[in-house]
Amino acid sequence: MIILLILLAMLHTGLAAIAGYEEVENNLITKLGLTRRPVVEKNMKIPSATMELYKSMLEENNAMTTHLPLPGLHTTSANTARTYSNKGSPPINAKSKRYRLQFDIDSIPEREQVKAAEVRFTMIYDTILRNEEFIHVIIHDIVQPGAKGISKPILRIIDSKSINMSKVSKSEVISFDVTPAIERLSKNNFKENHGMLVQCVTESGSHTHLLSVFDFVSPEKTLLLIYTDDGTSEKSTLERMMRRSKRSADEPGGPQKKSKKKKICQRYSMYVDFKDVGFSDWIQAPPGYDAFYCHGECTFPLANHINASNHAVMQTLMNSHSPASVPRACCVPTKLSSQTLLYVDDDGKLVVKNYPEMTVDECGCR
């Protein structure tokens, strides 16, 4: 009977631990703006453009900026980038003069505001076209599709570029700003998404064969990237710069050996391994990060470097006079910074996002 009770107690403890773990995971998923745990396809390929954006955000974070590093695009406060591959079928006729792009956009979270969008095409190194020197590429928003034999489609030019083919390098990526089209579609939750139309014209006026200019065969070579702001971006980049500059370079990497002297409030290393916590299947990068944590005593008198609030100073003073009636101030994070994540959302789309308050920069008594 005793053994049975022990086994039941162990089972109860195990189930409680599992329930607690699920609660933590659900809390994180909610914080990340997801509705459920993402289901990831096996051997998912990450487009090079998405990985480059992720890496550039990591570099910019080290350079004390909170927003997406996209010169030339007015992304302003955008902290999220979603990647969509072209779902349109490549032209059957190799001499096609136009091509319809189709990106499968189900929706964008309501709290997110579109700041910018671009399509990226990968050029094909064609020696014949190099003699054409310049080609003109025009991107149309298909506002309303046409009906064969009845009406023509309603098109709106959203961007165009002249490309000097004599200077194009192998696998060069050309970007087009399609923000107006995405802003229009987002107003109706992408229910009228009829795609975009690409057209190439040479200087002589003849239409250039699209398959000899761009790689429309490989899905990862034709991408749409939508940049949004979820409202969590830090308001002041200057504030963050001041915060980072104050961080001490010689902070301890972990708790010191035990000594009789009480440890004062300070920051310690805490590495979060996404594989260990079971998130590595849907968080593609990084494999983990150092989140740090705060620990230590807030004892009277508080030293200047403890970074204590005025209230904490007074609370510590009162605690020294009456420990039974007033508790000590607590050692807590006083400055936090963001962490860039590359993950799969609940629609199976790759997302690069800069999440605030993921890393402890400074600790103090509060």
Side-chain angles (χ1 to χ4, degrees), residues 221-233:
K221 300 295 184 180
T222 305
L223 299 174
L224 167 67
L225 287 95
I226 300 179
Y227 307 101
T228 62
D229 177 8
D230 66 359
T232 62
S233 294

Side-chain angles (χ1 to χ4, degrees), residues 41 134 149 339:
E41 297 178 4
F134 281 91
Q339 171 66 40

Side-chain angles (χ1 to χ4, degrees), residues 117-328:
E118 63 172 332
V119 289
R120 294 187 180 186
F121 301 149
T122 302
M123 303 288 293
I124 292 177
Y125 191 81
D126 194 304
T127 54
I128 298 176
L129 276 177
R130 288 173 67 85
N131 297 326
E132 295 274 6
E133 292 190 355
F134 281 91
I135 63 169
H136 306 288
V137 182
I138 306 170
I139 309 294
H140 303 265
D141 177 14
I142 304 177
V143 179
Q144 183 176 315
K148 191 172 182 180
I150 300 175
S151 63
K152 293 183 178 180
I154 299 176
L155 306 176
R156 180 184 298 161
I157 295 177
I158 47 179
D159 199 8
S160 63
K161 282 186 179 179
S162 294
I163 303 172
N164 188 342
M165 295 301 295
S166 62
K167 295 183 179 180
V168 170
S169 58
K170 188 174 183 179
S171 299
E172 182 173 343
V173 176
I174 307 296
S175 173
F176 294 86
D177 188 345
V178 296
T179 306
I182 300 304
E183 287 179 334
R184 179 185 70 82
L185 292 171
S186 65
K187 292 177 181 178
N188 196 24
N189 204 27
F190 297 91
K191 292 180 180 179
E192 297 179 359
N193 180 14
H194 306 299
M196 304 174 196
L197 194 67
V198 186
Q199 178 184 2
C200 290
V201 182
T202 62
E203 287 186 308
S204 61
S206 62
H207 293 280
T208 302
H209 304 152
L210 284 168
L211 290 183
S212 61
V213 180
F214 301 116
D215 184 358
F216 288 137
V217 177
S218 307
E220 70 276 6
K221 300 295 184 180
T222 305
L223 299 174
L224 167 67
L225 287 95
I226 300 179
Y227 307 101
T228 62
D229 177 8
D230 66 359
T232 62
S233 294
E234 294 187 33
K235 295 180 180 180
S236 173
T237 302
L238 177 61
E239 178 184 349
R240 183 170 177 178
M241 291 174 66
M242 293 173 65
R243 169 194 315 173
R244 291 281 181 118
S245 64
K246 288 171 62 181
R247 183 188 298 176
S248 174
D250 58 351
E251 288 179 332
Q256 304 297 319
K257 290 183 179 180
K258 290 183 178 180
S259 63
K260 294 182 180 179
K261 190 175 181 179
K262 293 181 179 179
K263 302 183 185 68
I264 60 172
C265 176
Q266 58 186 298
R267 189 182 77 150
Y268 295 104
S269 178
M270 180 184 71
Y271 185 78
V272 178
D273 191 317
F274 292 132
K275 185 176 182 180
D276 288 345
V277 297
F279 297 161
S280 60
D281 58 333
W282 56 278
I283 297 181
Q284 302 292 303
Y289 78 105
D290 208 335
F292 299 99
Y293 71 94
C294 297
H295 182 66
E297 298 285 346
C298 294
T299 56
F300 179 82
L302 292 176
N304 292 331
H305 65 274
I306 293 298
N307 190 23
S309 64
N310 292 332
H311 181 272
V313 172
M314 299 309 297
Q315 182 174 336
T316 305
L317 176 62
M318 294 302 296
N319 170 263
S320 67
H321 285 284
S322 180
S325 59
V326 180
R328 289 179 180 176

Side-chain angles (χ1 to χ4, degrees), residues 2-26:
I2 295 176
I3 295 176
L4 178 59
L5 290 174
I6 294 174
L7 290 174
L8 288 173
M10 291 174 63
L11 177 61
H12 180 268
T13 303
L15 291 175
I18 293 172
Y21 176 83
E22 290 178 347
E23 183 178 350
V24 171
E25 183 181 33
N26 290 334

